[in-house]
Amino acid sequence: MVETAAGLETGLQERTARAVPAESDERTSGWWLRHAPGCAWWVASVLPHGGTSRAELSERTEAAEAYCAERGIPVLVQMTPGAAPPELDALLEARGYERKASVSLQTATTSEVLALALAPQGSLRVRLQEQPTRAWFDVLHQVAGGDADAQWRLLERITERAVYASVLLGDETVAVGRAVAESGWAGVFSMATLPAARGKGAAGAVIGALADWAAVNGAGRMYLQVEHENAGAARIYGRVGFSELRPFFFRVKA
């Protein structure tokens, strides 16, 4: 099925939600309500994909607030142009929601990533596996921190096709990443490089390996999300062909 321009942002954000699945979720009138204790804060964000009138948006906002109140969590709404209703931002601001974070939704063709990504340099080598290993996970956790048990359970919830890339220096895993393929797209997630290995091409090698897997698995396009303040990661992604499709942000109310 060909994805229309109007539905591209919505489709990518919902692919992301399936690639980083919450512990529990509910759908209500197009809005996706999620709960992910112990995971990165944005995993539990509300996807407000539906509603046009102010009355509809108010009703769905109240439903999201009730859902979050039952679970004792803040209401965090993902505001992506092209996916979130245009009138929603002003409504949330009037209800006391504060703006949080600035994120770039980026895309690239898989062929361009393959053409630009460098092969592993020097003694670096890449390994692809269908399931995360403890060595792979340990690198991610060392870099990202957080609740290790909750993050491991998140990986166990993934139902789409996935691959886990590791870059090794000798016998040591020094950089990791994963990709999830769905309907012609491969999303890039869980990118992490140990400090001692940065600047040596390890992250680029991970992306190149994920792109190769994406091509083999019928994903002709790739996407990822990176915070605007993470300039180092943005430079790496730009060098292998990723460019911004949409900037987005969050509205949050405790």
Side-chain angles (χ1 to χ4, degrees):
M1 182 176 66
V2 177
E3 202 156 21
T4 65
L8 180 57
E9 293 86 349
T10 299
L12 291 178
Q13 297 294 18
E14 294 194 355
R15 284 182 178 90
T16 297
R18 287 187 287 273
V20 189
E23 184 175 294
S24 62
D25 60 66
E26 294 180 10
R27 295 290 191 102
T28 174
S29 303
W31 284 36
W32 196 337
L33 313 180
R34 300 184 288 166
H35 182 41
C39 296
W41 58 268
W42 59 270
V43 179
S45 60
V46 175
L47 300 183
H49 298 167
T52 54
S53 71
R54 190 173 184 85
E56 288 175 330
L57 296 177
S58 295
E59 179 182 354
R60 293 170 195 184
T61 299
E62 290 166 4
E65 291 173 348
Y67 176 91
C68 293
E70 289 175 4
R71 291 156 180 82
I73 58 175
V75 190
L76 183 69
V77 185
Q78 187 167 307
M79 304 297 296
T80 305
E87 299 82 2
L88 181 60
D89 189 45
L91 184 149
L92 294 180
E93 187 173 28
R95 293 176 75 98
Y97 284 70
E98 297 181 355
R99 185 166 175 150
K100 177 179 181 178
S102 177
V103 185
S104 179
L105 174 60
Q106 301 197 358
T107 61
T109 63
T110 303
S111 59
E112 185 175 12
V113 177
L114 284 171
L116 294 174
L118 295 176
Q121 303 295 304
S123 56
L124 296 177
R125 57 191 177 91
V126 179
R127 180 169 62 198
L128 292 177
Q129 294 170 294
E130 293 184 354
Q131 298 293 331
T133 64
R134 280 296 169 181
W136 181 96
F137 183 78
D138 286 346
V139 171
L140 176 64
H141 189 248
Q142 284 183 59
V143 175
D147 186 328
D149 290 339
Q151 293 165 4
W152 184 265
R153 290 195 300 272
L154 182 151
L155 298 176
E156 293 178 327
R157 293 194 292 268
I158 298 168
T159 58
E160 307 294 337
R161 285 177 296 161
V163 71
Y164 298 80
S166 302
V167 169
L168 289 84
L169 180 59
D171 294 328
E172 182 186 7
T173 302
V174 297
V176 299
R178 67 181 173 96
V180 179
E182 180 188 353
S183 305
W185 285 88
V188 176
F189 302 93
S190 304
M191 292 288 295
T193 304
L194 294 180
R198 291 173 187 168
K200 299 179 180 179
V206 169
I207 296 173
L210 296 178
D212 187 61
W213 176 87
V216 170
N217 284 273
R221 293 177 290 178
M222 302 179 71
Y223 70 95
L224 55 81
Q225 297 179 166
V226 58
E227 291 192 51
H228 282 114
E229 66 179 23
N230 192 348
R235 281 194 297 271
I236 293 171
Y237 301 142
R239 285 199 293 265
V240 295
F242 282 91
S243 60
E244 185 170 84
L245 173 69
R246 290 284 190 182
F248 68 95
F249 60 95
F250 296 85
R251 287 283 184 185
V252 61
K253 184 177 183 181

